[in-house]
Amino acid sequence: MNVLKKVLLLVLIAVTVSCQKTKVTKVFTEKDISIIPKPAALQLQEGSFEFTENTQFVATDAAQKEIASILIDKFNETSGWSLELVEQAPAKDFVQFVVDEKLADEAYTFVVTSDKVLITAKGNAGFLYGIETLRQLLPASIESAKRISSGEWVIPNVTITDQPRYKYRGLMLDVARHFFKMDYLKKTVDRLAMLKMNVLHLHLVDDQGWRIEIKKYPKLTEVGAWRVDQEDKHWDGRYTPTADEKGTYGGFYTQEELKELVAYATTKNVEIIPEIEMPAHVSSAIAAYPELSCFGTPIGVPSGGVWPITDIYCAGKENTFEFLEDVLTEVMAIFPSKYIHVGGDEATKTNWEKCPHCKKRMQSEGLKSVDQLQSYFIKRMEVFINSKGKILIGWDEILEGGIAPEATVMSWRGVAGGVEAAKQGHDVIMTPGSHCYFDHYQGPQNEEPLAWGGYTPLSMVYTFDPTVDTMTPAEAKHVLGGQANVWSEQIKTEAHSEYMIFPRLAALSETLWSPKESRNWEDFSNRIVTLFSRFDYMGINYAKSAYLVTHDVQIDMKTQEVSLSLKNEFPNADIRYTLGDKKLTEQATKYTQPLKIDKTTTVHASLFKNDQPVGVPFNTTIEFHKAVGKKVTFKETYDDQYKGEGEFGLTNTLRGTKNFTDGHWQAWLGKDMEAVIDLGAATAIQEVTLGTLENQGPGIYFPTSLTVFVSTDGKTYKEIGVEKRDFAKNPSFDLKDFKISFEKQSVRYVKVVATSLKTLPNGGKAWLFVDEILIN
Ligand code: TNX
């Protein structure tokens, strides 16, 4: 054999061996399967199915072909294959849709054997979900937009029978506070389908923008869709423009665009539910047509926060109802959805109390309160909506003053509204802030982009249950499902919106789809890691906040010893740490138990996976001081709503964040704070610091003065320092330490008095927030 021949032979052998190698069947275990939401039932069998460039998709109509194309397109991108669509099943190597009328609407069965994949369903919804399941059985790299050289598209032989727990599985996007492009809405539809979610609720109207073209009322978008650009300022720090200032920030969707979106969403089994707010959250409409308000006063489209919302539609004038019926007529021609959402939340009805038209209406209709007038308003709109064969949805405020007879309630202020509505025989969709508000923080505030407030981490979302334990079976039947809400006051970009939605939507999807019995956080937290790598390929800017390490401090009541614990959302997490200025390497100490702290200590920590740190590292300095673990007594104790960590809350080294609901703050409403700290024995001190917060939106103000007194016997005190601070308007959230230094002296008791602003500039009581009293 000459050399060339030898080489060729060797190459041939090598190719044959490597081909045979790829044919060596991969052995799958349950751990290799990480579908979210978890299918209702799955059995793993021996063997596997491998996609090749000859694999065919058997689809008999256009809709099935469209569904198959979700995967065909992916194979095309990753492998350059053009997988064939055929109408007749070949002998082997195919994926086929099989109709079974007996299955429920969105249910499907999914059977993989070594020569084929069968997806059986009643119709397109089930076929789509079968394809989405198939997609998640494939390696995450199937999501790659680039060619993968070593793509090995093998899936395990499985039998899956699957159907949703709830029929309503939604996401609300607020496109009014910030405008999002149509392209982003379509992407969101795809991502909803991937997680087997089936509703996209569009919040199309709010004070700060009207986002839907209405042909009969062109000014709604000419005027109402645009506001004076103050995007550089905090949402609550923007001035309200006058009617004659021209807006430049905003945008709207044309009817054509929305129809296209609806058609697109239909192919992904996603229903688009439009929300046209009324009677409040409509400054943008009133800016366009001032005659819609009680007094017809011209206003500008607000650029940012409006509170309370008093510029609302007049409930007395007939033209308000004419206008709304006209608007809804156009809306219903665009959206074929069964539901029309009319908002109904947060109306401050002070104008209605004064308005002659409203008064007349109340008289003629025999209404005793403005709440009843709102109820009249919504009921009247419901008659119109029902006459078009549609169902009205409203936020839970529509219960106040009497709910419209056929209405479905979206319960956002906790689940109470939903429970009450179900009691009264109404359908409900649960969206409680505690679990479903994706405008809330999902990690420690200092590490996160600015959010509206609140704290709704991934693990919290995962505990969501739309059905409340106290409901009777008949009431529980009224629970249609749940929904996440992404209010966008603080969310200006698509990347930020993605960050707030993912991965929390994955957790929500499982709570709404999978059987309750199968819910298991540890199992989910393993599966979510695979989803993360899918998100990476898909270019989704998901939050890695669940990887963050957080800390807590415990104080032993008896010994007053302080210990620091490190935590992570995931159970049995591999947390490693170093102290002082030591770098965090794989040699860092594995965290197994709380660390004793008796001096100011810097801690660096991270979650590790496969010996590598993942996510943002955690760094904190525990500022140890002489009052740590010492008893505090108050003249008047803190408010029940904000107890911090209780007894040692102000002397446990734990500092609050700008998120006033983070559990570190103790607060007083309309009162001063007067605290006495018993240091236990005469102690030399020279400085007292008070940690405080200001967030004027919800009425939290810095103290107006701080005075420190000391005593050796706890009876007679002497004043040793005072600092005053005048009230100043402040649109941002700020932390501030008030510090008083004095000549070193030996004392046992320290009295700290922080005076509160007590009364807000516009009436009402002011909050005073304190997280720590540091004594040195
Ligand atoms: C309350 S939830 C609102 C929204 C805000 C949201 C901020 C609801 C029906 N109304 O207008 O954007 O809080 O989280």
Side-chain angles (χ1 to χ4, degrees):
M1 240 189 306
N2 67 28
V3 178
L4 186 66
K5 270 194 180 156
K6 256 191 196 165
V7 170
L8 274 176
L9 188 69
L10 278 177
V11 169
L12 197 69
I13 293 171
V15 169
T16 327
V17 168
S18 76
C19 283
Q20 275 170 356
K21 214 170 133 223
T22 58
K23 284 290 169 209
V24 169
T25 34
K26 179 170 160 46
V27 179
F28 287 90
T29 66
E30 303 262 344
K31 271 203 182 141
D32 297 313
I33 300 178
S34 57
I35 302 166
I36 293 177
K38 198 179 175 81
L42 180 150
Q43 283 111 33
L44 180 63
Q45 275 108 22
E46 234 173 76
S48 58
F49 175 91
E50 178 168 6
F51 282 84
T52 68
E53 56 190 321
N54 299 318
T55 304
Q56 296 180 318
F57 282 80
V58 188
T60 50
D61 62 28
Q64 289 179 13
K65 288 177 188 162
E66 171 106 27
I67 290 165
S69 73
I70 297 174
L71 271 185
I72 292 176
D73 291 351
K74 292 198 182 294
F75 281 115
N76 196 291
E77 286 183 352
T78 54
S79 312
W81 298 344
S82 310
L83 299 187
E84 232 186 310
L85 269 166
V86 294
E87 298 202 349
Q88 289 286 322
K92 60 180 177 71
D93 196 11
F94 62 91
V95 179
Q96 184 178 12
F97 297 118
V98 181
V99 176
D100 180 353
E101 298 282 351
K102 291 191 295 299
L103 287 177
D105 276 349
E106 297 181 297
Y108 68 98
T109 61
F110 181 90
V111 180
V112 184
T113 49
S114 299
D115 53 9
K116 60 177 180 287
V117 179
L118 292 184
I119 300 173
T120 310
K122 182 177 180 178
N124 298 332
F127 294 143
L128 172 78
Y129 293 149
I131 285 289
E132 295 292 355
T133 288
L134 174 51
R135 174 178 174 185
Q136 289 199 40
L137 274 176
L138 283 161
S141 53
I142 191 68
E143 309 298 341
S144 173
K146 285 198 229 107
R147 196 64 60 85
I148 303 273
S149 52
S150 58
E152 201 177 282
W153 309 118
V154 188
I155 58 170
N157 285 356
V158 286
T159 301
I160 292 174
T161 45
D162 203 7
Q163 71 278 318
R165 180 173 171 214
Y166 292 102
K167 64 176 173 204
Y168 186 111
R169 306 178 300 279
L171 171 74
M172 185 219 69
L173 286 186
D174 170 6
V175 293
R177 268 55 174 272
H178 283 98
F179 181 65
F180 291 85
K181 293 210 189 84
M182 188 44 83
D183 186 45
Y184 181 64
L185 303 190
K186 286 190 180 155
K187 261 196 237 169
T188 304
V189 164
D190 291 339
R191 293 161 181 179
L192 284 169
M194 175 175 176
L195 295 168
K196 303 189 173 81
M197 304 281 289
N198 63 1
V199 173
L200 176 62
H201 161 183
L202 289 182
H203 185 73
L204 290 164
V205 173
D206 215 302
D207 295 303
Q208 300 83 4
W210 182 285
R211 305 285 176 225
I212 171 174
E213 175 194 27
I214 300 294
K215 300 221 157 108
K216 194 158 183 187
Y217 300 95
K219 281 198 274 177
L220 286 173
T221 45
E222 280 164 21
V223 175
W226 305 98
R227 63 184 189 230
V228 172
D229 189 342
Q230 299 183 58
E231 293 303 301
D232 57 328
K233 298 200 188 67
H234 186 278
W235 183 257
D236 291 315
R238 301 175 185 180
Y239 77 91
T240 300
T242 57
D244 45 20
E245 279 178 87
K246 194 166 164 49
T248 54
Y249 174 89
F252 65 93
Y253 309 113
T254 64
Q255 298 198 352
E256 275 320 298
E257 285 174 316
L258 288 166
K259 280 183 190 157
E260 204 185 303
L261 176 69
V262 167
Y264 182 72
T266 309
T267 68
K268 298 282 156 88
N269 195 41
V270 171
E271 181 166 67
I272 313 264
I273 298 183
E275 180 186 352
I276 305 296
E277 274 271 20
M278 60 189 78
H281 283 287
V282 293
S283 303
S284 56
I286 292 173
Y289 297 99
E291 62 272 24
L292 294 170
S293 69
C294 289
F295 302 109
T297 320
I299 59 168
V301 178
S303 298
V306 182
W307 196 259
I309 305 168
T310 51
D311 285 316
I312 67 178
Y313 292 141
C314 176
K317 296 180 198 166
E318 272 306 294
N319 69 355
T320 304
F321 295 95
E322 262 163 47
F323 164 81
L324 286 171
E325 290 184 6
D326 289 343
V327 167
L328 290 184
T329 301
E330 291 194 32
V331 167
M332 289 188 271
I334 302 167
F335 299 96
S337 61
K338 176 167 147 197
Y339 295 105
I340 297 293
H341 200 310
V342 298
D345 58 316
E346 300 182 323
T348 296
K349 299 145 192 145
T350 39
N351 283 353
W352 285 4
E353 275 158 11
K354 292 177 274 180
C355 165
H357 308 282
C358 290
K359 281 192 200 156
K360 202 165 143 216
R361 175 82 68 196
M362 287 173 69
Q363 214 173 26
S364 65
E365 296 292 331
L367 307 171
K368 291 184 190 65
S369 64
V370 285
D371 277 351
Q372 285 187 6
L373 183 56
Q374 158 135 350
S375 163
Y376 163 86
F377 194 117
I378 302 290
K379 281 180 182 156
R380 188 164 161 180
M381 292 318 299
E382 175 171 68
V383 171
F384 178 73
I385 288 169
N386 290 166
S387 77
K388 307 285 176 203
K390 309 255 181 186
I391 298 174
L392 175 148
I393 305 184
W395 299 110
D396 56 53
E397 282 92 336
I398 66 167
L399 281 156
E400 291 160 12
I403 182 174
E406 308 296 329
T408 294
V409 170
M410 205 169 252
S411 188
W412 71 279
R413 295 174 301 179
V415 291
V419 171
E420 178 55 32
K423 267 208 177 82
Q424 295 184 29
H426 291 261
D427 282 350
V428 302
I429 298 152
M430 290 293 195
T431 66
S434 53
H435 296 74
C436 296
Y437 269 40
F438 289 4
D439 58 337
H440 287 177
Y441 285 98
Q442 55 193 315
Q445 171 147 354
N446 294 349
E447 312 287 343
E448 293 287 325
L450 180 67
W452 178 83
Y455 182 53
T456 305
L458 186 65
S459 56
M460 172 79 108
V461 177
Y462 196 69
T463 63
F464 176 51
D465 199 350
T467 305
V468 179
D469 287 345
T470 57
M471 286 177 166
T472 64
E475 288 160 13
K477 275 216 180 86
H478 283 293
V479 180
L480 303 179
Q483 174 175 292
N485 294 334
V486 190
W487 300 104
S488 67
E489 288 96 329
Q490 317 295 350
I491 305 171
K492 301 178 193 178
T493 64
E494 291 174 10
H496 190 187
S497 176
E498 289 179 346
Y499 184 92
M500 302 309 274
I501 297 173
F502 301 102
R504 288 188 283 194
L505 193 67
L508 189 86
S509 79
E510 189 147 311
T511 70
L512 298 175
W513 178 279
S514 309
K516 196 174 178 190
E517 312 75 69
S518 74
R519 204 159 326 160
N520 179 325
W521 171 245
E522 191 168 351
D523 174 46
F524 176 81
S525 59
N526 288 326
R527 281 178 289 123
I528 195 85
V529 179
T530 310
L531 195 61
F532 283 177
S533 53
R534 267 172 217 283
F535 289 165
D536 284 329
Y537 280 112
M538 293 166 78
I540 297 181
N541 181 40
Y542 62 97
K544 300 176 186 73
S545 318
Y547 282 155
L548 286 173
V549 171
T550 57
H551 75 295
D552 205 357
V553 166
Q554 293 83 31
I555 297 192
D556 188 304
M557 297 275 195
K558 282 201 203 96
T559 61
Q560 298 195 342
E561 256 178 359
V562 181
S563 52
L564 168 99
S565 51
L566 298 175
K567 294 183 298 184
N568 172 262
E569 284 222 68
F570 298 121
N572 310 320
D574 179 5
I575 297 174
R576 303 184 198 179
Y577 68 93
T578 56
L579 299 178
D581 28 325
K582 264 211 229 123
K583 270 246 186 81
L584 200 61
T585 60
E586 58 275 25
Q587 271 94 46
T589 316
K590 189 170 165 71
Y591 173 80
T592 52
Q593 61 180 32
L595 319 172
K596 293 264 168 295
I597 301 283
D598 54 11
K599 56 177 183 300
T600 293
T601 307
T602 299
V603 188
H604 310 282
S606 176
L607 181 69
F608 277 67
K609 288 215 175 222
N610 307 322
D611 285 335
Q612 292 301 317
V614 288
V616 183
F618 162 88
N619 302 301
T620 197
T621 297
I622 306 290
E623 216 182 318
F624 207 80
H625 54 86
K626 291 179 174 162
V628 172
K630 301 295 189 261
K631 210 169 151 21
V632 186
T633 42
F634 296 107
K635 188 168 169 204
E636 281 194 79
T637 193
Y638 39 82
D639 193 272
D640 254 2
Q641 282 185 65
Y642 301 101
K643 297 178 177 171
E645 300 88 7
E647 200 175 351
F648 293 107
L650 298 189
T651 53
N652 64 357
T653 77
L654 282 180
R655 302 304 304 267
T657 64
K658 288 180 184 176
N659 176 2
F660 64 90
T661 60
D662 69 6
H664 295 312
W665 295 98
Q666 296 188 342
W668 287 261
L669 183 59
K671 304 181 205 167
D672 299 335
M673 181 209 76
E674 184 174 325
V676 172
I677 295 138
D678 179 358
L679 296 170
T683 309
I685 64 166
Q686 58 186 3
E687 189 182 82
V688 172
T689 307
L690 181 82
T692 62
L693 166 74
E694 186 159 79
N695 179 352
Q696 297 186 350
I700 303 169
Y701 285 77
F702 284 142
T704 50
S705 74
L706 170 68
T707 318
V708 173
F709 305 84
V710 291
S711 163
T712 47
D713 59 5
K715 289 182 195 115
T716 44
Y717 281 89
K718 98 172 167 230
E719 183 183 316
I720 46 166
V722 57
E723 192 189 320
K724 287 203 167 35
R725 184 185 171 280
D726 287 334
F727 161 73
K729 208 167 154 51
N730 174 8
S732 72
F733 309 173
D734 287 314
L735 298 171
K736 186 173 159 70
D737 281 348
F738 284 79
K739 201 171 277 186
I740 291 186
S741 305
F742 42 89
E743 215 164 278
K744 199 171 211 167
Q745 46 200 290
S746 180
V747 300
R748 175 167 169 183
Y749 300 92
V750 179
K751 185 193 288 183
V752 181
V753 181
T755 54
S756 162
L757 184 67
K758 292 191 187 70
T759 310
L760 296 174
N762 59 354
K765 289 179 184 169
W767 284 102
L768 172 71
F769 270 60
V770 181
D771 65 341
E772 186 82 358
I773 298 173
L774 301 91
I775 302 181
N776 279 306

